[in-house]
């Protein structure tokens, strides 16, 4: 290799290959020990003046618990191998319709641009290429992935992006063939040519992979990086691996500024990790050791911890949160999460829009369902008659009186009709079912998910596709059962988050890995546990409710029609909410002892997700997606 080629290779490796390993701020730095526990060996190659990167696993990323227990070295790391992450990373404010396909890509785009700024090369960028792989490509259009990615590259964040401007801004990019990186640096960009969707190709680390590559005015590559949206808005890449086998997840999209001495990485040798980066990883390792004052790895650990310390599950989570935030900040953040949830229910119920976006032409149902509830159950009988002219067959939930057809219009004989006499009731107009328990849960969940499908602001709970379950169950409890709403909100959210942590560590909350059991199934389990807690259940009963909630969602596939988070997603959230309350009721009738444990169900879910065919995991290549006509 010539001297020029060697110098270029070293420069690309150290300076232009953007490193994602920097110490994350305490409020956003997260630890996870699930899907991405294996380290990856990074290769840098040069060909025709371009640097490309690839990452190959050096070990099975799903090492079994038994193997790790047999390894004497792994026992030394046991203390860091816990499930604890922040509640406000499981519950984050974002935009619809998908946490993994909308929120994650937006964060990834913003992270990449921020790295360009940190390395001082943003102003050198003349063009950019975006590659979306696997599930991000297959269902990306319906999930709004391209638009979200472009918003991230323009510096927007899911928490603050003006959702009403997204479509118009993307249309302007198509018309002008330009994009403004970070909102300040305008470059040429044709979305139709410079953003590629690789439908039948996936990056090896995860089905939701994306790659960003920027070039200078001469067409030479300046920087490239790959990111993986692993569910719930979490983003990771192969450089975010820590020495002790855990991961830093990007929830805060702007890491700390590079440390002194790390601003000119061009002098680092090819393929090596700088001393500064090593020190930062060591520092992060030590930080992880103290972030969880009450660590737990499994559901059994959590119950034993509660019993030993005489704490509720919510209290355990709250004390862990105090390692990141003050008491006042934790409480304030929890209330803010609930306020956004509640607002999404309100907007969904009061929406004046008739149709949801997309080719399916799905009607919004929450507004009419909500109106029927308000008019039917709690109003005097004569108020319905005074509420204005309307079609009673639609507006009040009743059908028109049954009219028997003429004998000449049927094929039944008189003898056959006589056989029916005295067996069945005479047909009457259908009656409104007095089931507020089910109706309110359903309308709340549907309202949130219709807002999500329309690209509105919701809370990932723990994902956008399952964003309606937890708000619906909590809203129902607060409206009809709670005697102390301010405390019950905290109890509910912190209990639910503890269960979500167990799923994130033991399996995944990504539908691209687990199917819908990893989204609605997990949300149902979290809601069942939280509802049990606020109803006065013991930690064992809470664990039992969580187990029931997931056991009967095992094998649930993710097969969105036309790649839209509408069919079957919206109704599935309503059923998930109802099932969560039923699971809690069953658990509260017992003493907490049960044959199947939550840990066994989580492991079963993980194995089921691994065995599930990819066409049933958020690809729209199987199930309802291929059997329901789009138009």
């Amino acid at each position: 290799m010539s001297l020029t080629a060697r110098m270029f290779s070293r420069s690309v490796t150290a300076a232009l290959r953007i490193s994602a390993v920097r110490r994350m701020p305490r409020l956003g730095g997260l630890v996870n020990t699930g899907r991405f526990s294996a380290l990856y060996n990074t290769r840098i190659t040069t060909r025709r003046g371009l640097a490309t990167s690839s990452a190959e696993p050096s070990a099975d990323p799903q090492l079994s618990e038994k193997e790790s227990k047999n390894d004497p070295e792994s026992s030394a790391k046991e203390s860091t191998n816990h499930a604890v992450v922040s509640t406000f990373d499981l519950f984050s404010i974002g935009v619809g319709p998908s946490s993994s396909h909308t929120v994650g890509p937006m964060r990834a785009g913003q992270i990449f641009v921020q790295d360009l700024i940190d390395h001082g090369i943003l102003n050198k960028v003349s063009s950019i290429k975006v590659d979306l792989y696997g599930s991000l490509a297959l269902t990306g259009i319906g999930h709004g992935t391209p638009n979200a990615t472009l918003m991230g590259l323009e510096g927007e964040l899911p928490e603050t992006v003006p959702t009403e401007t997204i479509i118009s801004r993307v249309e302007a990019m198509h018309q002008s063939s330009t994009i403004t990186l970070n909102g300040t640096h305008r470059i040429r960009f044709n979305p139709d040519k410079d953003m590629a969707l690789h439908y039948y190709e996936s990056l090896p680390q995860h089905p939701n992979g994306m790659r960003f590559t920027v070039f200078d005015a001469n067409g030479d590559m300046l920087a490239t990086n790959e990111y993986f949206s692993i569910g719930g808005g979490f983003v990771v890449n192969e450089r975010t691996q820590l020495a002790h086998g855990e991961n830093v997840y990007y929830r805060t999209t702007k890491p700390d500024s590079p440390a002194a001495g790390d601003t000119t990485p061009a002098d680092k040798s090819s393929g090596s990790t700088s001393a500064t980066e090593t020190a930062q990883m060591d520092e992060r390792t030590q930080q992880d050791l103290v972030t969880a004052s009450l660590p737990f790895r499994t559901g059994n650990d959590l119950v034993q911890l509660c019993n030993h310390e005489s704490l509720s599950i919510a209290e355990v989570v709250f004390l862990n949160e105090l390692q990141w935030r003050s008491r006042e900040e934790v409480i304030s953040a929890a209330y803010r999460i609930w306020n956004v949830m509640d607002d999404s229910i309100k907007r969904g119920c009061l929406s004046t829009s008739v149709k949801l976006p997309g080719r399916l032409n799905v009607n919004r149902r929450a507004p009419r369902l909500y109106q029927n509830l308000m008019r039917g159950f709690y109003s005097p009988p004569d108020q319905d008659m005074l509420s204005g002219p309307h079609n009673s067959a639609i507006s009040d939930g009743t059908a028109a009186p049954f009219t028997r057809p003429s004998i000449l219009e049927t094929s039944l004989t008189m003898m056959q009709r006589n056989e029916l006499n005295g067996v069945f009731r005479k047909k009457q107009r259908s009656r409104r079912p007095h089931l507020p328990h089910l109706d309110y849960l359903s309308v709340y969940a549907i309202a949130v998910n219709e807002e999500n499908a329309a690209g509105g602001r919701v809370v990932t709970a723990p994902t956008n596709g399952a964003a309606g379950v937890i708000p619906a169950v909590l809203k129902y409890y607060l409206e009809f059962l709670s005697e102390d709403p301010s405390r019950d909100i905290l109890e509910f959210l912190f209990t639910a988050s503890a269960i979500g942590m167990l799923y994130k560590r033991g399996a995944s909350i990504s539908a691209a890995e687990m199917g819908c059991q990893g989204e609605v199934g997990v949300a149902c389990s979290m809601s069942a546990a939280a509802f049990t807690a606020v109803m006065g259940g013991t930690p064992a009963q809470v664990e039992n409710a969580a187990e029931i909630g997931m056991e009967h969602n095992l094998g649930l596939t993710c097969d969105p029609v036309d790649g839209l988070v509408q069919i079957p997603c919206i109704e599935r959230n309503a059923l998930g909410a109802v099932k969560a309350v039923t699971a809690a009721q069953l658990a509260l009738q017992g003493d907490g002892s049960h044959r199947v444990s939550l840990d066994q169900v989580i492991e079963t879910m993980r194995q089921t997700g691994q065995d599930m065919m990819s066409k049933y995991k958020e690809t729209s290549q199987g199930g309802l997606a291929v059997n329901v006509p789009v138009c």
Side-chain angles (χ1 to χ4, degrees):
M1 181 183 294
S2 67
L3 177 61
T4 301
R6 286 198 300 271
M7 291 177 62
F8 177 79
S9 177
R10 292 180 62 180
S11 176
V12 166
T13 301
L16 305 181
R17 169 73 176 176
I18 296 179
S19 171
V21 181
R22 291 195 299 273
R23 184 177 63 84
M24 303 291 285
R26 290 181 64 84
L27 299 188
L30 297 178
V31 177
N32 183 77
T33 56
R35 173 74 166 81
F36 280 83
S37 59
L39 298 179
Y40 289 88
N41 297 324
T42 303
R43 283 203 313 266
I44 302 294
T45 60
T46 59
R47 184 177 61 182
R48 295 183 182 179
L50 295 181
T52 60
S53 64
S54 63
E56 295 179 347
S58 59
D60 184 356
Q62 290 289 358
L63 290 174
S64 67
E65 297 266 342
K66 292 182 179 179
E67 291 175 336
S68 61
K69 289 180 180 178
N70 293 333
D71 183 2
E73 295 183 359
S74 67
S75 61
K77 303 174 182 178
E78 197 71 17
S79 62
T80 64
N81 194 18
H82 56 70
V84 177
V85 297
S86 174
T87 296
F88 308 109
D89 291 313
L90 282 171
F91 296 133
S92 68
I93 299 169
V95 294
S98 171
S99 51
S100 61
H101 288 57
T102 313
V103 176
M106 189 180 297
R107 284 199 173 109
Q110 201 277 343
I111 292 165
F112 181 71
V113 170
Q114 185 60 48
D115 278 339
L116 296 177
I117 296 172
D118 292 341
H119 286 77
I121 60 176
L122 177 64
N123 292 331
K124 300 178 183 178
V125 175
S126 179
S127 61
I128 185 171
K129 299 288 185 182
V130 180
D131 296 279
L132 303 175
Y133 293 89
S135 180
L136 291 183
L138 288 165
T139 61
I141 301 298
H143 285 58
T145 306
N147 294 356
T149 304
L150 297 179
M151 289 298 99
L153 292 174
E154 287 205 335
E156 297 289 0
L157 296 174
E159 297 84 353
T160 57
V161 59
T163 57
E164 68 279 2
T165 67
I166 294 177
I167 300 300
S168 60
R169 289 168 63 180
V170 173
E171 290 176 350
M173 294 180 197
H174 283 272
Q175 295 172 0
S176 64
S177 293
T178 61
I179 187 173
T180 307
L181 298 182
N182 197 46
T184 60
H185 183 60
R186 193 177 184 90
I187 63 172
R188 65 177 184 271
F189 178 77
N190 186 333
D192 296 324
K193 296 181 180 180
D194 296 328
M195 175 177 283
L197 276 62
H198 303 269
Y199 297 104
Y200 305 108
E201 182 181 358
S202 293
L203 298 177
Q205 295 90 336
H206 194 276
N208 292 337
M210 66 200 90
R211 178 185 295 140
F212 302 107
T213 309
V214 290
F215 305 86
D216 63 16
N218 297 322
D220 294 327
M221 188 187 75
L222 287 173
T224 185
N225 211 342
E226 296 171 353
Y227 299 90
F228 307 94
S229 182
I230 61 173
F234 289 88
V235 179
V236 69
N237 70 0
E238 75 274 10
R239 295 297 304 279
T240 59
Q241 311 297 325
L242 296 182
H244 60 294
E246 298 185 354
N247 303 297
V248 178
Y249 286 94
Y250 290 116
R251 270 297 206 184
T252 54
T253 52
K254 185 174 181 180
D256 286 351
S257 299
D262 194 36
T263 56
T264 56
D267 60 347
K268 304 295 187 290
S269 61
S270 175
S272 65
T273 302
S274 70
T276 302
E277 288 178 340
T278 301
Q280 290 171 348
M281 285 193 291
D282 290 341
E283 180 182 353
R284 177 62 201 220
T285 302
Q286 295 303 316
Q287 176 183 326
D288 292 335
L289 291 172
V290 300
T291 52
S293 60
L294 295 169
F296 54 87
R297 298 176 61 249
T298 65
N300 184 57
D301 288 348
L302 181 57
V303 173
Q304 289 185 2
L305 176 63
C306 291
N307 293 336
H308 183 267
E309 301 293 342
S310 297
L311 296 171
S312 70
I313 290 176
E315 288 170 334
V316 169
V317 174
F318 184 81
L319 290 175
N320 283 334
E321 288 295 332
L322 295 181
Q323 304 302 308
W324 288 289
R325 297 168 172 85
S326 69
R327 181 176 184 273
E328 292 72 21
E329 288 173 332
V330 172
I331 294 173
S332 176
Y335 287 147
R336 180 167 182 256
I337 290 296
W338 166 242
N339 287 336
V340 175
M341 288 181 174
D342 192 38
D343 186 61
S344 65
I345 294 175
K346 179 179 179 180
R347 285 185 283 109
C349 287
L350 302 181
S351 174
T352 58
S353 300
V354 177
K355 300 281 187 181
L356 292 173
R359 299 187 298 171
L360 298 180
N361 291 316
V362 173
N363 288 323
R364 280 184 180 255
R365 286 182 292 176
R368 175 157 293 173
L369 290 172
Y370 183 72
Q371 291 170 8
N372 289 343
L373 284 175
M374 294 298 99
R375 185 165 48 237
F377 288 121
Y378 299 110
S379 301
D382 59 343
Q383 184 169 332
D384 283 345
M385 301 177 62
L386 300 175
S387 59
H390 56 271
N391 184 342
S392 61
I394 296 176
S395 61
D396 66 2
T398 61
F402 176 79
T403 303
R404 186 179 296 279
S406 167
I407 295 295
L408 297 177
E409 298 174 359
T410 72
S411 60
L412 295 180
T413 66
M414 186 60 70
M415 182 177 297
Q416 288 174 310
R417 292 189 178 282
N418 290 336
E419 294 291 340
L420 297 175
N421 288 337
V423 179
F424 300 100
R425 269 188 323 180
K426 284 188 64 176
K427 291 285 198 303
Q428 299 175 353
R429 65 184 302 178
S430 61
R431 299 177 297 171
R432 180 194 297 278
H434 292 273
L435 299 171
H437 169 89
L438 302 180
D439 290 331
Y440 278 95
L441 284 169
S442 297
V443 72
Y444 293 155
I446 288 172
V448 175
N449 280 86
E450 287 180 347
E451 278 299 291
N452 177 68
R457 181 156 282 114
V458 297
V459 174
T460 60
T463 66
N464 281 29
V469 180
I470 289 175
V473 176
L474 178 51
K475 178 75 169 178
Y476 173 79
Y477 178 80
L478 295 176
E479 293 288 344
F480 296 100
L481 300 170
S482 176
E483 296 179 354
D484 191 350
S486 60
R487 287 184 171 85
D488 287 337
I489 290 171
L490 302 178
E491 182 89 17
F492 194 102
L493 292 178
F494 291 135
T495 302
S497 70
I499 303 304
M501 295 174 200
L502 296 175
Y503 282 101
K504 185 156 183 59
R505 181 201 174 275
S508 172
I509 57 173
S510 169
E513 287 187 289
M514 296 288 114
C516 199
Q517 61 176 356
E519 295 204 21
V520 170
V522 171
C524 176
S525 181
M526 294 167 66
S527 298
F531 191 84
T532 303
V534 293
M535 289 291 289
T538 66
Q541 289 174 316
V542 170
E543 186 261 357
N544 187 12
E547 181 276 322
I548 296 172
M550 173 53 72
E551 181 180 340
H552 305 289
N553 279 297
L554 289 173
L556 194 61
T557 61
C558 180
D559 49 356
V561 179
D562 202 30
L564 298 168
V565 192
Q566 298 177 13
I567 301 175
C569 318
I570 296 173
E571 287 182 353
R572 189 167 286 175
N573 273 257
L575 271 293
V578 172
K579 190 181 293 185
V581 174
T582 303
Q585 290 175 318
L586 287 173
L588 287 167
Q589 295 300 316
D591 60 1
S593 60
H594 49 288
R595 183 65 180 84
V596 181
S597 72
L598 176 59
D599 295 326
Q600 291 168 341
V601 163
I602 292 175
E603 175 59 19
T604 302
M605 170 197 159
R606 186 187 68 82
Q607 294 176 8
T608 303
Q610 285 186 327
D611 294 339
M612 190 181 292
M613 297 177 66
S614 62
K615 68 179 182 178
Y616 297 118
K617 294 192 285 190
E618 206 171 9
T619 61
S620 292
Q621 293 181 317
L624 287 173
V626 299
N627 288 295
V628 177
V630 173
C631 55

